[in-house]
Amino acid sequence: MLYELKRIRKASGLSQVEAAAHFGVPLGTYRNWEQCIYMPRENKTLLKIARFFEVTVEELFGYDMVSPGAFSFIHEEEDGVVALPLFGRIAAGKPLEMDAVEDHLQISRALFRRYPEAFFLRIEGSSMNRVLPNGSFALIDPRKKEEDVVSGHIYALCVNGYDATVKVVKKLANGYTLIPDSTDLTYKPQTFDYGEPGTDEVTIIGEVVWYTVPPDFMSNYQYAVMDI
């Protein structure tokens, strides 16, 4: 059911009458959609609603009800892309708190098949600027947990349970060393050895597997992309 349709429609400033008229359905039908009595029968109608309100199909249902990309098959019929959520920012420098969802970014259907649970985080800072430019969007694969960490790979992680950052990770016998990869040599590795009293806990969010940059990031091409 379209649990978020009413909220999304009200945020747009449209009345139910206007929305029903735009989608070419009776007012009662549209009200039934918002009241979750039933939902559109055709996928193309779901896609039409999502595109009109500039949201994803998944957002119409609510991300607490479906996983990102759950309705990617609808997009596959249209343009072969999947929209994934961008969860605010993540530091490539001093750790900072992750923000809530602020946007959605598209990836190819082929890339989505490789990373079906992935999401984006915005990179802020220059401690990883040799591989992740400040302002870029890193694609995170959350399936990689602590036991799967490979030394030398790049991971998004939490320090203290809430401060998010991205670094090259070296796995220790009882902890991690977080290593910058920057042109700024003032950034130094940080070691978190759980054998030392008072050591902050490091939790792996996921592996950085790809990144892209905003359309206006560079003037000579629309998007820059890189496999990590």
Side-chain angles (χ1 to χ4, degrees):
M1 296 298 175
L2 306 184
Y3 297 105
E4 296 297 316
L5 178 57
K6 182 177 181 179
R7 177 188 63 80
I8 291 169
R9 189 263 306 165
K10 293 181 71 173
S12 75
L14 285 183
S15 67
Q16 287 184 330
V17 173
E18 292 170 325
H22 177 81
F23 298 123
V25 297
L27 177 59
T29 297
Y30 181 81
R31 284 176 173 166
N32 285 334
W33 294 350
E34 286 199 356
Q35 294 171 8
C36 299
I37 297 174
Y38 59 82
M39 55 181 276
R41 295 181 178 180
E42 296 185 358
N43 290 339
K44 65 180 181 180
T45 303
L46 290 174
L47 192 59
K48 182 179 180 181
I49 295 170
R51 287 182 169 174
F52 176 73
F53 288 117
E54 298 182 342
V55 298
T56 64
V57 175
E58 290 85 355
E59 192 172 352
L60 290 172
F61 285 79
Y63 278 122
D64 57 339
M65 302 299 296
V66 298
S67 301
F71 293 92
S72 57
F73 62 90
I74 296 177
H75 296 277
E76 186 176 16
E77 298 173 359
E78 298 292 322
D79 51 19
V81 298
V82 179
L84 299 183
L86 170 63
F87 284 96
R89 57 182 186 167
I90 187 170
K94 180 181 178 182
L96 52 87
E97 187 174 357
M98 288 174 56
D99 292 339
V101 175
E102 65 174 43
D103 205 345
H104 292 80
L105 302 176
Q106 292 183 339
I107 64 171
S108 69
R109 176 66 178 170
L111 191 59
F112 176 74
R113 288 193 188 100
R114 292 170 60 187
Y115 309 112
E117 299 177 23
F119 55 87
F120 282 100
L121 292 174
R122 183 191 299 275
I123 298 296
E124 289 195 355
S126 57
S127 74
M128 292 293 294
N129 65 8
R130 290 184 185 272
V131 290
L132 294 171
N134 182 20
S136 62
F137 305 121
L139 186 66
I140 310 300
D141 182 1
R143 295 174 298 177
K144 297 296 180 69
K145 304 301 182 182
E146 277 80 359
E147 61 271 19
D148 302 317
V149 168
V150 177
S151 290
H153 287 206
I154 302 172
Y155 292 88
L157 47 94
C158 284
V159 180
N160 280 331
Y162 62 92
D163 288 335
T165 189
V166 59
K167 291 290 183 295
V168 177
V169 172
K170 179 180 179 182
K171 193 172 185 178
L172 307 177
N174 193 19
Y176 302 97
T177 296
L178 311 185
I179 306 169
D181 190 357
S182 176
T183 57
D184 185 346
L185 300 182
T186 62
Y187 289 106
K188 303 297 182 183
Q190 294 177 287
T191 295
F192 296 82
D193 185 344
Y194 299 147
E196 296 292 332
T199 298
D200 294 329
E201 183 179 1
V202 174
T203 303
I204 301 299
I205 299 173
E207 184 175 0
V208 179
V209 293
W210 188 80
Y211 82 81
T212 185
V213 298
D216 58 353
F217 193 85
M218 293 184 178
S219 59
N220 60 337
Y221 59 91
Q222 184 177 10
Y223 278 96
V225 298
M226 176 181 176
D227 277 308
I228 302 298

